[in-house]
Amino acid sequence: MDADLSRQALNANLRLVAGGDRGALQAVYDATSSKLFGVVLRILNDRSEAEDVLQEVYISVWTKAGQFDESRASPITWLAAIARNRAIDRQRQVGRRVSRPIEDAGEVADDGEDGLDAVLRAETSTRLDGCIAELEDQQQKALKTAFFDGRTYEDVATLFGVPTGTMKSWIRRSLIKLKACLGG
């Protein structure tokens, strides 16, 4: 197929892709995938990453085909620009990844919570729940509203229909009781 006919066919197929024609997308893929794969592979130098990026390229073509303007660029130039940009984006992502050999796994810090910390946290939470349950109903509600819902003393006072000073006193007395209950 001569270059002009190929260009016309790509232009026509991209217009059809913009209208949701899957067959036209397949035709665009068949005509351009090897060239675009070469572009992506040269940038990434990793076949697996390049294959993933090529898939993303055609997803972009599917969603952005309506933006293609044949008066501004040839279809292959437009497609190659999408491929190049996707590959560069992936290269930036891959460049940020830090990988170490599996043999170093014993030396890699685990930022996750260890089992003992999880048990202690759960025990503390259970104790706190028990201590809150010992408070009067109104104190429980005020304390939970202030601290667990993140409301101000003024907001809580308004909700309970009491002066702000009264609410501050309720919450302060509740906190003193909690501290004593928790052994602090």
Side-chain angles (χ1 to χ4, degrees):
M1 180 184 280
D2 106 344
D4 195 40
L5 287 176
S6 176
R7 182 178 181 156
Q8 289 174 359
L10 279 174
N11 283 338
N13 280 323
L14 285 172
R15 283 191 297 273
L16 292 171
V17 170
D21 187 329
R22 291 176 186 261
L25 180 64
Q26 182 66 49
V28 170
Y29 178 86
D30 292 343
T32 61
S33 61
S34 60
K35 180 174 183 73
L36 297 184
F37 183 73
V39 169
V40 172
L41 186 59
R42 270 195 311 275
I43 294 169
L44 295 174
N45 202 26
D46 180 310
R47 186 170 191 82
S48 176
E49 291 285 341
E51 290 169 353
D52 289 346
V53 168
L54 189 65
Q55 182 178 359
E56 293 174 15
V57 167
Y58 286 100
I59 291 170
S60 290
V61 170
W62 178 254
T63 59
K64 295 180 180 182
Q67 297 173 9
F68 172 64
D69 181 358
E70 60 190 86
S71 68
R72 294 185 61 206
S74 73
I76 197 66
T77 301
W78 184 73
L79 293 165
I82 292 173
R84 179 182 172 278
N85 291 340
R86 288 283 180 180
I88 290 170
D89 289 345
R90 177 64 59 93
Q91 185 64 38
R92 287 179 182 145
Q93 290 173 343
V94 170
R96 283 187 231 130
R97 295 181 192 159
V98 177
S99 63
R100 294 174 62 183
I102 192 68
E103 294 80 23
D104 292 348
E107 299 172 22
V108 176
D110 181 4
D111 295 334
E113 182 177 46
D114 68 15
L116 179 59
D117 288 342
V119 169
L120 292 174
R121 185 179 39 78
E123 181 182 312
T124 301
S125 178
T126 301
R127 284 181 53 214
L128 179 61
D129 289 342
C131 290
I132 290 175
E134 291 179 15
L135 296 173
E136 295 174 21
D137 190 47
Q138 199 168 25
Q139 288 178 321
Q140 283 182 35
K141 289 179 183 173
L143 194 65
K144 287 179 180 179
T145 303
F147 289 97
F148 298 137
D149 294 347
R151 306 292 292 269
T152 65
Y153 289 125
E154 292 80 15
D155 289 343
V156 180
T158 302
L159 284 172
F160 283 79
V162 297
T164 302
T166 301
M167 183 53 61
K168 286 181 180 180
S169 296
W170 286 3
I171 291 175
R172 178 165 166 61
R173 283 193 300 266
S174 298
L175 290 174
I176 290 169
K177 288 178 183 178
L178 282 180
K179 184 177 179 182
C181 178
L182 292 170

